[in-house]
Amino acid sequence: DRRTEAIGHVYRGTFVHSTPHTALQVLEDALVGVDTGGKIAFIGKGQELNKLSQTFGFCPSEVTQLTQDEFFMPGMVDTHIHAPQYSYAGTALDMPLLQWLDTYTFPVEARFKDLEFAKSVYTQIVKRTLRNGTTTACYFATIHTDASLVLGQIANELGQRALVGKVCMDRNKSVKHYKETTQESQEETDRFIAELLNKKYPLVKPVVTPRFALSCTEALLEQLGAIAKNNNLHIQSHISENTEEVKLVKELFPESESYTDVYHKCNLLTNKTVMAHGCYLSDEELDLFRETGAALSHCPNSNTSLCSGTLNVRNVLKHKVKLGLGTDVAGGYSASMLDAVRRAQDVSKFLTIQDPGHDTLTFEEVFRLATLGGSQALSLDTQTGNFEVGKDFDALRVNVAAADGPIDLTQKVEPKILLEKFLNLGDDRNIVEVFVAGRKVVPFTE
Ligand code: GUN
Ligand code: ZN
């Protein structure tokens, strides 16, 4: 008997996903078995139904069968999102990054000292992202430890896989009440990590979160690097988003060779690090990312909305730097990863308009960035990102015919076309079910 755990559920139909070798693999009439622990127990072919049911001990009549217009794809991974900023998403995009932070972001984030307000906004953003197919999110919260713990609790309750960061900042010249002392920041980070780990949420982990070099003293950056190292934790921050920011970092850290070197000196570049943006990184800096295993999060909506820059994804991929997509709510105004997919294609096409020699990203490549690429960027690719035996079943059941298409209902449409249509034209109405670690988390059960 090869069974280790009882089969929880079996799904039959079209599955699309990425592998390390192919941006898009289509499995037609596949059978995917999920065990009661939410892990993929087997992947087989439809015609092997009887054999597999005997081997794995499930009843063929209980298999969930997808329709012709449906497919499963891996849940999407948002590698960079600010949960508190959802409260003003869709507004306040009329100035560049540093003024935007001072004018809108810091005053709003300061309000998250209020746990009731935090709970309300955090419930909204976790629901909104789950409904839109984000099964894994890497969140910035605010400097407030208890409110950040509330975000972890909500992600756990609603069933989203999440990295949650209590934001650290011991420098803020504009909004003076929205910062910590160096010691507070370090002690509260320790408390946040201890209390979050103590909850033993199966899918929610802490991530060490220096806001960015301009918000942190070197002493704080060093301490946070040490905390991450001692506890083997994830790290997230921002890098090289905007030219004014890059210039000020050079002035503030004259000893460092580059922006990347500021973080590297403080042990903040590891294979569990994800840095947002990176629009202005040099080839040498990208090499340092590859050597340390640190990843980038490409946030195209934010980069355009704040007029920050245009990341050359093709160049990042050439340097073999791990890369995922992020919404960067609320520098990016959309919380949907489908928007990030479309914006990433737009930015890539814009680079081709500027330079016809530029090799435009294909939709399959962008699909990979939104799924497997994101899981690799967060070093969670042993758990999620595609359909592989042993990984958790994090999946979207997509129906392209829902909400009136667009689809030709008179004939069978190729799965690749279904995926392309969904990525370019679909929305949450086409995401009929969302699974995280085998649990159906959308539609919500209330
Ligand atoms: N750099 C430092 N903080 C932030 C933030 O909240 N959003 C963005 N887009 N960039 C940042
Ligand atoms: Zn950000």
Side-chain angles (χ1 to χ4, degrees), residues 82 85 97 100-101 211-212 238 241 277 302 328:
H82 296 263
Q85 296 176 18
L97 174 69
W100 173 82
L101 286 171
R211 179 169 212 118
F212 69 153
H238 298 88
E241 176 177 2
H277 310 301
S302 172
D328 195 24

Side-chain angles (χ1 to χ4, degrees), residues 309-324:
T310 48
L311 179 69
N312 187 329
V313 167
R314 184 62 68 201
N315 191 42
V316 173
L317 294 177
K318 253 190 214 143
H319 284 78
K320 302 203 181 307
V321 174
K322 292 189 291 180
L323 182 69

Side-chain angles (χ1 to χ4, degrees), residues 85-208:
Q85 296 176 18
Y86 189 53
S87 56
Y88 65 94
T91 66
L93 296 169
D94 56 344
M95 41 182 87
L97 174 69
L98 300 178
Q99 290 92 313
W100 173 82
L101 286 171
D102 292 345
T103 310
Y104 304 111
T105 308
F106 296 150
V108 170
E109 287 193 12
R111 292 181 56 202
F112 282 72
K113 195 173 155 46
D114 174 351
L115 291 180
E116 283 309 306
F117 180 57
K119 191 172 173 193
S120 153
V121 175
Y122 289 166
T123 302
Q124 286 184 316
I125 186 62
V126 174
K127 284 187 153 184
R128 180 73 173 221
T129 52
L130 268 179
R131 203 199 305 279
N132 281 279
T134 301
T135 51
T136 300
C138 185
Y139 286 114
F140 275 60
T142 61
I143 65 171
H144 313 98
T145 304
D146 294 307
S148 304
L149 290 166
V150 166
L151 176 56
Q153 183 191 345
I154 291 167
N156 176 65
E157 278 166 10
L158 292 169
Q160 189 172 51
R161 189 184 303 280
L163 298 177
V164 177
K166 171 227 160 313
V167 171
C168 295
M169 44 196 290
D170 65 346
R171 270 207 253 240
N172 190 346
K173 273 199 264 183
S174 62
V175 182
K176 298 216 165 28
H177 59 284
Y178 189 56
K179 73 170 171 194
E180 316 152 288
T181 66
T182 310
Q183 190 184 347
E184 266 167 3
S185 192
Q186 182 219 311
E187 288 174 0
E188 286 299 297
T189 296
D190 283 334
R191 179 166 83 84
F192 173 71
I193 293 163
E195 293 197 18
L196 189 61
L197 291 177
N198 201 23
K199 305 278 187 194
K200 303 210 183 322
Y201 299 141
L203 303 176
V204 179
K205 293 182 164 77
V207 45
V208 174

Side-chain angles (χ1 to χ4, degrees), residues 1 124 393 408:
D1 188 355
Q124 286 184 316
F393 186 66
D408 179 356

